[in-house]
Amino acid sequence: MFIGHIALPNRLFAAPMAGVTDRPFRQLCKRLGAGYAVSEMVTSRKDLWTSLKTSRRANHDGEVAPISVQIAGTDAQMMAEAAAYNIDRGAQIIDINMGCPAKKVCNKWAGSALMQDEPLALEIVEAVVAACAPRNVPVTLKMRTGWCSTERNALRIALAAEAAGVAMVTVHGRTREQGYKGHAEYDTVAAVKAALRIPVCANGDIDSPEKARDVLVQTGADAIMIGRAAQGRPWIFREIAHFLATGEHLAPPATLQAKAWLLEHLNDHYALYGEYAGVRTARKHIGWAVRALPGGEEFRARMNTLESCDDQVRAVADWFDALADEHRLLPHAVAAANDSLIEPIDADPMISSAQQQA
Ligand SMILES: Cc1cc2nc3c(=O)[nH]c(=O)nc-3n(C[C@H](O)[C@H](O)[C@H](O)COP(=O)(O)O)c2cc1C
């Protein structure tokens, strides 16, 4: 599997999720079987590049290659500059966000709202490709199936993007209008795949090895991208890889192994965010990790009262040790994934960075 000239170890990708797929989480996904992981979106607004939030997002220290940065914005020149800025900071692939439905992004005509304005969408793609091509950096595009059920224009935009030099297209099988409701459909993804020569990645509601296999078969896609199902279950990538290779299910991870991965994640997380923000933003990852486990809800509530890294780490370690006494293997690991279709946070890099500095 290649994106432009860049070879990937497999075709299982971690989806960009603002507020989730920061560097520590991407690293963990890659370690546990993801062949590729896209950053949280980085705004094209220069005035926000020096904000703590954006500078954290543009920090790729120690990240396993290829480093892929998603950019979001509404102005072709600004998007081209954002691409160059992120390449200077280590990006090896630039992804254009035409998939995010968050309201504040859409009010600014970024994200999936761009699909409603095809000339502007294409202008942005052309400008970003022009900025990246001289530096040998492939450009990818992530989009939805269209704006609404009567306006499914993913195929038209994908063909235009391919002609403009885009190296891969990812399609989330929902319209912008759907938000995260209903189910993803894969016929539009299959139509895009059938029409394009560049790789196509299918995305939306993939939460099990069987679903991964079925989506690959139904769409003929070159790759699949997983978002919410990896929250609290980053080892889903290796579970899928094993199933696709052997037709058999990997056993759930040992409870103490899951504990070790979570503690490793927490330490990386604190190193990036510091104690105050780190403890608070780690709560969601811990919550996802325990939500489907016996006693997980009670632990989540208690954990939300802890205010220091030491206390958080100790509580997590003790809780998993006690669970391991009862369950050598992680119980309900599959239920955790099926329960994963939670609403996304309205994370917005365009507007709210000042409020989200902590
Ligand atoms: C919390 C959250 C944040 C997201 N942020 C982004 C983003 O920054 N850029 C983007 O293209 N998509 C974003 N998405 C959409 C995901 O990349 C993905 O397309 C969507 O969740 C469907 O895949 P899934 O069913 O595997 O979760 C986000 C989704 C969630 C749940």
Side-chain angles (χ1 to χ4, degrees):
M1 170 77 207
F2 280 81
I3 297 179
H5 63 282
I6 297 179
L8 304 176
N10 66 37
R11 54 186 178 154
L12 308 177
F13 300 172
M17 290 185 282
V20 182
T21 50
D22 52 16
R23 174 165 48 85
F25 190 73
R26 295 196 299 277
Q27 288 287 75
L28 188 65
C29 291
K30 285 178 177 173
R31 194 154 111 59
L32 297 180
Y36 178 64
V38 184
S39 78
E40 309 167 88
M41 57 185 159
V42 173
T43 177
S44 61
R45 275 181 50 187
K46 266 188 192 160
D47 57 319
L48 297 179
W49 288 348
T50 51
S51 74
L52 189 51
K53 181 172 150 190
T54 301
S55 50
R56 277 190 190 126
R57 288 184 178 187
N59 171 337
H60 306 288
D61 291 349
E63 184 164 354
V64 172
I67 294 165
S68 171
V69 174
Q70 185 183 71
I71 56 174
T74 56
D75 177 275
Q77 190 51 40
M78 285 167 68
M79 287 287 273
E81 287 171 15
Y85 173 84
N86 283 287
I87 293 169
D88 288 342
R89 275 150 195 80
Q92 296 161 312
I93 296 172
I94 292 289
D95 185 54
I96 300 174
N97 179 341
M98 276 187 210
C100 188
K103 279 192 190 66
K104 288 173 198 160
V105 175
C106 282
N107 287 345
K108 285 256 160 194
W109 284 93
S112 54
L114 283 173
M115 295 190 73
Q116 218 182 16
D117 187 341
E118 289 180 31
L120 176 59
L122 189 58
E123 194 192 330
I124 288 176
V125 168
E126 286 171 345
V128 173
V129 169
C132 294
R135 310 177 68 170
N136 206 20
V137 170
V139 175
T140 60
L141 178 63
K142 179 162 178 289
M143 61 172 146
R144 290 187 166 230
T145 53
W147 176 259
C148 60
S149 56
T150 52
E151 203 43 59
R152 283 190 217 269
N153 56 352
L155 178 56
R156 220 166 36 235
I157 294 181
L159 283 166
E162 179 181 62
V166 159
M168 182 182 78
V169 168
T170 298
V171 185
H172 173 192
R174 285 186 175 84
T175 61
R176 191 269 157 196
E177 188 184 54
Q178 277 181 283
Y180 289 85
K181 297 199 179 72
H183 299 287
E185 55 92 2
Y186 306 107
D187 290 348
T188 306
V189 186
V192 171
K193 167 58 195 166
L196 264 58
R197 290 183 309 275
I198 55 172
V200 171
C201 176
N203 169 239
D205 297 353
I206 299 171
D207 62 359
S208 69
E210 287 85 351
K211 187 80 184 259
R213 176 200 57 202
D214 294 349
V215 171
L216 281 167
V217 170
Q218 191 184 336
T219 60
D222 302 277
I224 50 172
M225 182 176 269
I226 295 164
R228 291 164 293 174
Q231 295 170 349
R233 189 190 175 191
W235 53 86
I236 190 173
F237 298 101
R238 64 182 210 165
E239 291 180 335
I240 293 174
H242 183 82
F243 183 76
L244 293 180
T246 66
E248 289 173 4
H249 284 281
L250 205 55
T255 302
L256 291 179
Q257 177 63 77
K259 166 191 151 187
W261 287 329
L262 181 55
L263 292 181
E264 181 189 318
H265 181 197
L266 289 179
N267 283 325
D268 283 355
H269 189 90
Y270 303 145
L272 182 63
Y273 292 98
E275 176 132 17
Y276 183 84
V279 167
R280 282 154 186 79
T281 51
R283 288 173 184 160
K284 61 179 176 258
H285 291 285
I286 300 170
W288 289 325
V290 303
R291 67 186 154 182
L293 299 173
E297 280 307 323
E298 293 83 348
F299 177 65
R300 178 148 74 164
R302 182 160 64 82
M303 198 253 327
N304 284 345
T305 65
L306 303 177
E307 306 254 328
S308 77
C309 299
D310 284 348
D311 288 349
Q312 205 171 50
V313 162
R314 201 171 312 114
V316 166
D318 290 349
W319 193 80
F320 272 90
D321 285 343
L323 187 68
D325 288 342
E326 301 290 320
H327 304 274
R328 193 182 68 77
L329 298 182
L330 204 62
H332 303 312
V334 172
N338 291 340
D339 189 32
S340 66
L341 300 180
I342 52 163
E343 285 297 307
I345 52 166
D346 190 13
D348 172 29
M350 316 282 290
I351 307 255
S352 56
S353 76
Q355 299 121 354
Q356 296 183 33
Q357 291 285 309

